[in-house]
Amino acid sequence: MAGLAYGGDYNPEQWPESLWPEDIRLMREAGVTMVSVGIFSWALLEPEPGRYDFGWLDRLLDLLHEAGIAVDLGTPTVAPPAWFYSAHREALPVSREGVRYEFGSRGAICHSSPDYRRAAAGITEQLARRYGGHPALALWHVHNEYGVPVSACYCDTCADGFRQWLRERYGTLDAVNEAWGTAFWGQRYATFEQINPPRATPTVANPAQRLDYARFADATMRANFTAERDILHKLSPGIPVTTNFMTALSQCDSVDYWAWGREVDLVTNDHYLITDGRRTHVNLAMAADLTRSVAAGAPWLLLEHSTSGVNWQPRNPAKRPGEMARNSLGHVARGSEGALFFQWRQSRRGAEKFHSAMLPHAGTDSRVWREVVALGADLEKLGELRGSRTVADVAMVWDWQSWWAQRLEWRPSEDLDARERADSFYEVLYDRHLTVDFAHPEADLSGYPLVVVPALYLATTRAGENLRGYVEDGGTLVVSCFSGIVDEHDAVHPGPYPGALRDALGLTVEEFSPLIEGGRVRLTGPGGAELTGDVWSEFVVPRGAETVWTYADGLAAGHPAVTRHRLGRGTAWYLSTRLAPHDLATLLAPVCADAGLGDRPDLPRDVEVVHRTGDCGSYLFAINHGDTDAKVPQTVSGTELLTGERSAGHLAVPAGAVRVLRLDR
């Protein structure tokens, strides 16, 4: 497949086989180049233990190949058949409260179950032996959306697995007791056998144990993925293996995607708009940037999104005309090698019958179908972008394990949320028309003029040293409150807050002072300007940092609220309260100036501009999410790929439209 991928999940088992040729004909009309097949088909492929029926899949893959449509073939291990659970009820997961879930939806899996692992390996091996060399096969797709809806099981099998994981991680029981601080509340363990999963307790459970169990659950899912991957690598060499991530912070919160990104041959992602009143295109851009970062900057693939409304939110509005194309091309701008949907034909039965599809219930005489066909034609025009990479301006530090730790009980304020801080900082950077790479706190940051840390409650000593070194070497760093507080075991770093980040920031924090619900604090700054914070304040003591903004009222009145620390050749800023995006934008203006990142007043707020570059050339994407026409200044002339028009001086982007400019060399 030479160009960009286009298509979606194809579930022909839901329809009479006589309809398949019509599906293929319409796929070709729409410009479909790839479909995902077999993801939920275990019960059909293995109708009873050890008896396989591949005839229907043989015929399907042959039809697709004849039509020139590539296949992303799923291992159906997200949905074991009813016969499996009848024989192995213990493979159903158990909740923290001790409730065993039942068969009847999807993803009801205890990932520690040896019976599940054997059965999953068995069906994977059968598929690999039969289809590993099929000419339609372009990609293997293991499982589906790990971590959704269940990531952690609390059964006795998982208890045994957890104990073994602890032995491998810590070596000795003394090391476990030390890491978990079991001297508190008399929780010390005398044998590994006394350790259980952190099931429901009368009051708050040991937070370090909870954090380690989240790591164990994630590692156990990942081990099951790599087991299937290794079978596919052995029996189907040369075909890349993936599993579909859900990197958006609004969609999956139980998977450490930094670790998973190292295990797949191609990073793929599913993304769905969250209709919670926020600017949905900003969340989309953030998810795409995060996915690209998990792929270490390499091209990735959008494996699922929706043509219009979904079905699983409280309210599921349709997409506006043109929004589907803007969504799809927004992902492409930020590194995807195409755009695929869930699903091809809208289901008549089951839980997702009201989830939109490429071929809706309304058929081909519908707005959605016409937009699907138009998008296929546009993606064909953009095929030359394949292999190019998105160019980022700044980095944002993010760590899933820190997020897990911060969300545990009995923190100073339940209102200070890591995801909210990440969303807000990202929105301000987006509105400054800056493209963001995300980075692990211990990653190399030397290539970025600005590094933003919106929430890093858990920061290892190594992370603190890394951020300090970044500043000393000339970088500009901005850190938000309640960061650097604990180590990898959720133990407070020795000495005053902010622990691992004290030296980089040039300050200490004597005490947190969270605000009551609805509370506000005023900040005064240069020239008498004012900002308003909420949720949080702190008693900050400069230790080399200078005060830029001061608390004007509240318990911390008179104390520094925002500081700036010159360290080596760089600068570190610290914000000790929560600012809404409007006020946060005011604060970040001088931070960006420190980093040499100027304003883009010539670009409207909701016009998104992103660059991709590669051996074939450099490209400018301009996506107008607004209701009025816009003009994007350009310093290099070029050819607009969707219309074929030449452009110089400025690129005209009509309201709701997308333009992709191949820049002249």
Side-chain angles (χ1 to χ4, degrees):
M1 190 171 60
L4 299 179
Y6 185 54
D9 282 31
Y10 185 33
N11 299 292
E13 61 269 31
Q14 298 179 18
W15 305 91
E17 191 166 339
S18 60
L19 195 60
W20 296 1
E22 174 72 359
D23 278 332
I24 301 297
R25 183 186 70 79
L26 290 174
M27 285 180 190
R28 296 184 70 173
E29 180 180 328
V32 168
T33 62
M34 175 185 277
V35 292
S36 300
V37 172
I39 296 168
F40 296 99
S41 302
W42 195 343
L44 295 179
L45 294 169
E46 190 178 4
E48 58 185 59
R51 183 172 73 81
Y52 301 97
D53 180 4
F54 294 116
W56 68 273
L57 190 54
D58 291 346
R59 296 189 294 276
L60 178 66
L61 264 60
D62 289 346
L63 276 174
L64 291 166
H65 177 60
E66 290 169 8
I69 298 171
V71 170
D72 164 38
L73 184 56
T75 68
T77 52
V78 69
W83 60 255
F84 171 79
Y85 288 120
S86 294
H88 305 290
R89 181 168 172 77
E90 70 283 356
L92 289 163
V94 175
S95 73
R96 191 170 175 234
E97 292 73 27
V99 176
R100 188 176 295 278
Y101 295 109
E102 293 292 340
F103 173 77
S105 67
R106 66 172 193 177
I109 296 165
C110 167
H111 283 276
S112 296
S113 167
D115 295 309
Y116 169 76
R117 290 172 173 173
R118 281 191 293 269
I123 187 64
T124 299
E125 182 173 342
Q126 290 290 329
L127 286 166
R129 291 189 183 281
R130 191 171 189 92
Y131 301 110
H134 196 285
L137 182 65
L139 183 65
W140 284 107
H141 178 144
V142 171
H143 204 269
N144 184 73
E145 296 178 346
Y146 279 97
V148 178
V150 177
S151 59
C153 169
Y154 294 81
C155 71
D156 289 341
T157 303
C158 286
D160 290 337
F162 185 42
R163 294 173 195 127
Q164 183 58 35
W165 183 87
L166 291 170
R167 289 186 180 96
E168 293 171 359
R169 181 177 178 87
Y170 291 104
T172 67
L173 191 60
D174 285 344
V176 175
N177 280 308
E178 175 65 22
W180 289 2
T182 56
F184 184 79
W185 279 359
Q187 296 173 356
R188 186 170 184 82
Y189 296 100
T191 68
F192 275 101
E193 287 65 36
Q194 293 173 352
I195 299 175
N196 282 314
R199 296 165 177 149
T201 51
T203 185
V204 174
N206 186 313
Q209 182 185 13
R210 293 280 305 277
L211 179 57
D212 264 349
Y213 202 74
R215 291 171 173 141
F216 159 75
D218 179 59
T220 304
M221 291 190 295
R222 194 162 61 251
N224 285 349
F225 165 75
T226 57
E228 292 188 46
R229 178 204 63 192
D230 292 349
I231 292 170
L232 297 170
H233 279 169
K234 179 180 178 181
L235 299 177
S236 183
I239 303 297
V241 180
T242 191
T243 185
N244 46 337
F245 295 165
M246 297 191 77
T247 62
L249 306 185
S250 53
Q251 291 175 209
C252 183
D253 58 6
S254 59
V255 175
D256 182 353
Y257 286 116
W258 294 127
W260 283 76
R262 297 189 291 268
E263 301 294 349
V264 296
D265 299 326
L266 170 69
V267 167
T268 62
N269 195 53
D270 297 351
H271 181 264
Y272 294 97
L273 301 182
I274 304 299
T275 53
D276 59 359
R278 307 186 193 200
R279 297 158 70 201
T280 56
H281 54 280
V282 180
N283 176 272
L284 184 153
M286 183 177 179
D289 283 345
L290 191 49
T291 307
R292 182 187 68 253
S293 303
V294 168
W300 55 279
L301 180 61
L302 176 67
L303 212 51
E304 286 185 29
H305 70 314
S306 66
T307 57
S308 191
V310 297
N311 67 296
W312 39 266
Q313 299 182 78
R315 288 156 291 279
N316 298 285
K319 291 187 177 181
R320 294 170 294 163
E323 188 174 3
M324 180 185 70
R326 291 195 300 277
N327 290 168
S328 301
L329 297 178
H331 286 287
V332 172
R334 295 175 186 272
S336 178
E337 297 280 65
L340 285 80
F341 296 92
F342 180 85
Q343 59 181 324
W344 162 251
R345 183 182 284 270
Q346 196 168 13
S347 299
R348 289 186 56 228
R349 298 176 174 85
E352 296 186 285
K353 56 184 171 288
F354 298 117
H355 190 296
S356 61
M358 299 177 77
L359 183 58
H361 292 310
T364 56
D365 187 15
S366 64
R367 174 179 69 89
V368 165
W369 174 254
R370 288 186 285 273
E371 291 193 15
V372 162
V373 173
L375 177 59
D378 282 348
L379 286 170
E380 185 177 8
K381 297 174 184 176
L382 300 180
E384 67 183 71
L385 274 83
R386 188 179 175 93
S388 63
R389 295 193 174 207
T390 301
V391 180
D393 302 300
V394 301
M396 180 179 287
V397 166
W398 179 256
D399 182 21
W400 277 275
Q401 294 190 24
S402 176
W403 189 21
W404 300 344
Q406 185 173 337
R407 292 185 311 172
L408 294 172
E409 302 94 336
W410 287 10
R411 299 327 189 201
S413 174
E414 65 180 17
D415 298 326
L416 187 64
D417 178 67
R419 177 198 156 191
E420 184 279 330
R421 286 292 77 194
D423 285 345
S424 292
F425 272 85
Y426 184 90
E427 183 175 359
V428 174
L429 296 172
Y430 178 95
D431 285 342
R432 293 185 67 87
H433 305 285
L434 297 171
T435 301
V436 178
D437 273 349
F438 286 81
H440 187 275
E442 297 178 9
D444 179 12
L445 303 169
S446 59
Y448 303 101
L450 173 63
V451 171
V452 177
V453 182
L456 192 62
Y457 164 74
L458 186 159
T460 63
T461 299
R462 182 174 175 182
E465 293 170 347
N466 187 48
L467 292 170
R468 173 177 175 151
Y470 165 77
V471 176
E472 289 177 328
D473 289 343
T476 300
L477 176 72
V478 58
V479 177
S480 188
C481 56
F482 205 44
S483 293
I485 307 304
V486 300
D487 66 12
E488 60 270 33
H489 306 300
D490 198 45
V492 173
H493 284 285
Y497 313 129
L501 302 181
R502 281 193 304 261
D503 293 343
L505 297 173
L507 56 83
T508 59
V509 174
E510 287 188 357
E511 190 177 2
F512 305 133
S513 183
L515 306 182
I516 62 172
E517 186 175 4
R520 300 285 188 273
V521 288
R522 288 187 303 112
L523 283 62
T524 57
E530 289 195 356
L531 302 175
T532 300
D534 66 1
V535 170
W536 192 269
S537 64
E538 296 177 348
F539 292 92
V540 174
V541 179
R543 309 284 184 182
E546 61 180 293
T547 300
V548 183
W549 292 79
T550 303
Y551 288 109
D553 55 21
L555 200 60
H559 288 262
V562 178
T563 61
R564 180 173 181 263
H565 183 217
R566 299 178 188 272
L567 180 65
R569 294 184 288 110
T571 306
W573 290 73
Y574 182 62
L575 168 62
S576 66
T577 186
R578 192 180 82 162
L579 299 180
H582 177 268
D583 283 350
L584 190 56
T586 299
L587 174 68
L588 286 184
V591 175
C592 289
D594 269 359
L597 299 168
D599 288 328
R600 293 294 306 273
D602 48 357
L603 288 177
R605 180 174 186 241
D606 282 316
V607 174
E608 184 175 334
V609 176
V610 184
H611 292 83
R612 283 184 66 154
T613 187
D615 294 339
C616 293
S618 295
Y619 306 87
L620 181 152
F621 278 76
I623 306 173
N624 188 349
H625 299 283
D627 297 325
T628 58
D629 296 348
K631 293 182 178 180
V632 175
Q634 59 187 85
T635 57
V636 179
S637 61
T639 301
E640 205 288 308
L641 297 180
L642 300 180
T643 63
E645 298 174 353
R646 291 287 298 168
S647 178
H650 66 267
L651 177 64
V653 189
V658 180
R659 293 292 180 261
V660 184
L661 193 67
R662 185 207 300 124
L663 301 174
D664 294 338
R665 294 181 183 271

